[in-house]
């Protein structure tokens, strides 16, 4: 069925045609007529199914009549992360080229000024993360009593991130007579309860998981040792030697690991960006843009920041850490093999990951084969005694750009008596024989390892701060990285200034 038969306005049909889409996806074909008929919709669908257009296209059509009033937006879309919110805004830009609508993006990490201006002018569409929306409301800048249509997107992700109390509060602030569209990839009991209370006689639209990604993406497991430096070395080998490599998203389980891995890869000469919830909005968008444009071929990311991102041409996904939650595996590998392209996903599996791996294989309903092309070393064997496997270059054989660089400004001196883990790390990252200086750990990295544990805020406001509860798994806190317990180069004494948290967020 073509788009023109779904009841969309001429302006919208033209914009869709200009985007190059000829056929609606199943969720679009099923949901759009009901949205246009002003029905509530419960959509069970993941990203990658075309669900953003399933609500933006009919919204554009409905918004052609009526106009926005100052500080009283007409429609509201709630998204769990800033990136997803920005992606929905892009969708309105693309499909709304023939409209003159005011769209306001209310997300954390950027100043209130521009956002205030857009609301004051009268917004047809507000796209927001829950925390920032409530901030605007509490500052008295926003009235939600004019909302005609509410979209709650990625509801199960909202649940994971602890946003449900905020969502419930927002729903009480919008009119009872609104139209509601509620999307979730899964329907756990808590989400079912919410949909029952938010929706009135909804039409249920369910599309199969984009299992095609799981089916068309080559998946491989790569055995690695437990030590972080061994995992990092294995990853570098994979990046260097994997066939048909163009670009990759590398997933870590923790934000701190994202930052550490990015620094390590950069030290080894890779062109790499990072995406995690502690970065300010500018840095997050810059990282994404550089990766999307192809300027930077590697993006190290945490699950929350990268979930649902629509980056069409990702040739590889590397799971630096085996995900603790099996659904995260499906979301991660769903970043590659999109839009009919082939993709490949490699998961590093360390001793202790067996349980997580078992849950993943159970969820996807198939065993994941081990990568035979690069026989793994026995775990934790020092580099010198290990035979070099295919594609593994000797330090001398490395290109200049891949060699660890010599100590530079702002980096610490190597510890006189380093602990075993650190010694291995240095051996692993040893420079070429003729290199003038040993590579050493940047001061920031040492500081990061000695940061005191962050306190869980009682009721965090910023959506990104709320990524923490998930990523700071209690299990991980019980089993801290052994490196982090040690003091490098300072004996047993850690000066107080090194224990102070490092401010890497931009002031709001
Ligand atoms: P979403 O599930 O909304 O994240 O969309 C996933 C991808 O599908 C995005 O790149 C969309 O631009 C693309 N897409 C959306 N609708 C269509 C369509 N009807 N035909 C082809 N691609 C589409």
């Amino acid at each position: 069925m073509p788009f023109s038969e779904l009841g969309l306005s001429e302006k919208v049909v033209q914009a869709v045609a200009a985007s190059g889409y000829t056929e609606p996806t199943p969720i679009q074909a099923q949901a759009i007529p009901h949205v246009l008929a002003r029905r509530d919709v419960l959509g069970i669908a993941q990203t990658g199914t075309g669900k953003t257009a399933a609500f933006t296209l009919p919204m554009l059509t409905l918004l052609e009549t009526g106009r926005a009033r100052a500080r009283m937006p007409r429609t509201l879309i709630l998204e769990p992360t800033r990136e997803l919110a920005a992606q929905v805004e892009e969708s309105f830009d693309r499909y709304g080229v023939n409209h003159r609508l005011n769209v306001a993006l209310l997300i954390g990490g950027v100043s209130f000024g521009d956002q205030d201006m857009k609301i004051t002018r009268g917004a047809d569409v507000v796209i927001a993360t829950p925390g920032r929306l409530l901030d605007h409301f509490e500052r008295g800048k926003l009235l939600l009593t004019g909302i005609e249509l509410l979209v709650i997107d990625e509801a199960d992700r909202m649940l994971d991130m602890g946003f449900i109390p905020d969502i419930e509060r927002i729903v009480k602030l919008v009119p009872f007579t609104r139209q509601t569209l509620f999307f979730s990839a899964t329907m756990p009991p808590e989400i079912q309860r919410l949909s029952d209370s938010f929706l009135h006689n909804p039409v249920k639209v369910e599309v199969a998981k984009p299992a095609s990604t799981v089916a068309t993406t080559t998946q491989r497991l790569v055995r690695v040792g437990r030590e972080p430096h061994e995992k990092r070395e294995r990853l570098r080998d994979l990046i260097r030697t994997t066939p048909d490599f163009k670009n990759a998203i590398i997933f870590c389980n923790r934000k701190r690991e994202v930052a550490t891995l990015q620094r390590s890869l950069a030290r080894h000469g890779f062109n790499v960006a990072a995406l995690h919830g502690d970065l300010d909005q500018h840095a997050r968008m810059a990282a994404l843009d550089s990766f999307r444009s192809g300027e930077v071929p590697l993006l190290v990311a945490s699950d929350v920041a990268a979930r649902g991102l629509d980056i069409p041409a990702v040739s590889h996904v590397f799971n630096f850490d085996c995900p603790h939650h099996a659904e995260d595996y499906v979301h991660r590998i769903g970043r590659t093999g999109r839009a009919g392209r082939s993709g490949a996903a490699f998961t590093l599996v360390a001793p202790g990951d067996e349980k997580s791996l078992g849950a993943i294989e159970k969820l996807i309903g198939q065993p994941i084969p081990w990568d035979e092309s690069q026989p793994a070393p026995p775990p934790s064997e020092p580099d010198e005694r290990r035979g070099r496997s295919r594609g593994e270059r000797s330090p001398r054989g490395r290109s200049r750009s891949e060699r660890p660089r010599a100590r530079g400004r702002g980096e610490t001196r190597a510890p006189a008596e380093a602990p075993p883990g650190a010694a291995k790390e240095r051996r692993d990252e040893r420079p070429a024989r003729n290199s003038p200086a040993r590579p050493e750990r940047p001061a920031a990295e040492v500081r990061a390892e000695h940061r005191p544990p962050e306190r869980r805020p009682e009721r965090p406001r910023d959506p990104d701060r709320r990524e923490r509860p998930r990523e700071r798994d209690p299990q991980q806190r019980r089993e801290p990285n052994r490196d982090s317990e040690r003091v490098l180069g300072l004996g047993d004494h850690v000066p107080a200034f090194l224990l102070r948290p490092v401010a890497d967020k931009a002031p709001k």
Side-chain angles (χ1 to χ4, degrees), residues 391-429:
E392 192 178 345
R393 300 173 202 173
S394 71
R396 290 176 76 186
R398 283 186 194 156
S399 73
R400 178 184 256 285
S401 66
E402 289 167 350
R403 280 179 209 154
R405 60 180 165 76
R407 173 154 48 92
R409 204 148 35 121
E411 294 179 349
T412 53
R413 195 167 273 283
E417 258 183 80
K424 269 190 190 162
E425 175 71 31
R426 285 198 312 283
R427 190 161 56 227
D428 169 37
E429 304 199 346

Side-chain angles (χ1 to χ4, degrees), residues 7 13 44 79 98 115 146 175 178 206-207 211 232 245 258 294 321 323 327 371 386 398-399 421 431 441 475 482 501:
V13 172
I44 304 171
E79 293 288 337
N98 303 320
Q115 299 181 355
R178 69 185 185 263
E206 187 165 1
V207 297
R232 290 198 284 267
F245 179 87
V258 171
D321 296 311
E327 323 84 71
D371 182 32
R386 184 181 351 137
R398 283 186 194 156
S399 73
R441 296 154 64 91
Q475 183 69 20
R482 272 170 41 207

Side-chain angles (χ1 to χ4, degrees), residues 251-267:
F251 284 97
C252 299
N253 287 351
R254 284 174 283 175
K255 285 183 279 190
R256 201 178 72 173
E257 189 62 59
V258 171
T260 307
L261 182 59
Q262 186 217 6
R263 281 195 297 267
S264 169
L265 286 167
R267 265 206 312 274

Side-chain angles (χ1 to χ4, degrees), residues 418-491:
K424 269 190 190 162
E425 175 71 31
R426 285 198 312 283
R427 190 161 56 227
D428 169 37
E429 304 199 346
R430 193 177 49 221
R433 194 178 286 170
N434 297 331
S435 182
R438 280 190 307 177
E440 289 160 2
R441 296 154 64 91
E445 190 174 330
V446 176
R447 271 204 306 278
E449 287 182 353
H450 292 287
R451 261 181 227 169
E454 295 157 280
R455 274 186 39 217
R456 188 185 289 246
E458 271 172 23
R459 193 174 174 282
R461 274 260 59 83
D462 178 357
D464 297 296
R465 270 195 275 146
R466 270 175 276 197
E467 290 182 7
R468 281 179 194 144
R470 181 94 195 276
E471 294 194 359
R472 285 188 298 137
D473 181 331
Q475 183 69 20
Q476 292 162 0
R477 296 183 71 182
R478 276 200 298 278
E479 297 172 358
N481 179 347
R482 272 170 41 207
D483 281 357
S484 69
E485 291 172 347
R486 299 194 184 105
V487 178
L488 299 184
L490 294 163

Side-chain angles (χ1 to χ4, degrees), residues 29-226:
Q30 290 178 60
I32 289 173
H34 295 300
V35 180
L36 291 171
R38 296 269 183 198
R39 292 285 304 270
D40 281 3
V41 172
L42 167 62
I44 304 171
Q46 295 188 342
T47 51
T49 54
K51 80 173 154 66
T52 315
F55 58 83
T56 47
L57 301 181
M59 279 176 75
L60 282 162
T61 299
L62 293 174
L63 285 165
E64 283 172 21
T65 50
R67 53 192 292 271
R69 280 180 286 167
R71 293 196 290 137
M72 288 181 72
R74 300 171 65 194
T75 61
L76 171 63
I77 300 167
L78 296 172
E79 293 288 337
T81 67
R82 301 166 184 184
E83 282 75 17
L84 284 172
Q87 227 164 259
V88 173
E89 188 195 29
E90 281 168 24
S91 227
F92 273 97
D93 287 348
R94 186 181 333 153
Y95 306 125
V97 281
N98 303 320
H99 296 73
R100 290 186 51 195
L101 293 177
N102 292 330
V103 177
L105 181 66
L106 309 186
I107 54 175
V110 287
S111 75
F112 282 87
D114 287 352
Q115 299 181 355
D116 281 344
M117 228 166 60
K118 286 197 170 156
I119 303 169
T120 306
R121 215 169 54 194
D124 296 286
V125 183
V126 163
I127 306 159
T129 48
R132 180 52 74 102
L133 183 86
L134 286 171
D135 284 344
H136 277 282
F137 179 78
E138 280 159 10
R139 292 164 84 240
K141 299 282 180 186
L142 178 69
L143 290 168
L144 294 173
T145 44
I147 297 292
E148 300 156 19
L149 186 150
L150 169 70
V151 180
I152 299 170
D153 196 15
E154 302 264 328
D156 52 353
R157 198 63 183 171
M158 301 270 198
L159 176 69
D160 285 353
M161 293 172 70
F163 289 157
I164 296 305
D166 283 352
I167 301 288
E168 290 185 306
R169 197 173 152 215
I170 293 166
V171 170
K172 286 196 184 115
L173 298 172
V174 301
F176 181 74
T177 52
R178 69 185 185 263
Q179 181 182 7
T180 308
L181 315 179
F182 185 97
F183 292 92
S184 190
T186 56
M187 289 299 285
E190 176 67 354
I191 295 298
Q192 186 65 54
R193 180 188 72 77
L194 290 177
S195 76
D196 290 346
S197 76
F198 295 165
L199 300 168
H200 304 284
N201 189 23
V203 179
K204 188 170 169 185
V205 173
E206 187 165 1
V207 297
K209 285 183 190 167
S212 53
T213 309
V214 176
T216 58
T217 296
T218 307
Q219 301 171 65
R220 291 290 177 268
L221 303 176
V222 179
R223 208 182 301 277
V224 288
R226 195 189 297 273

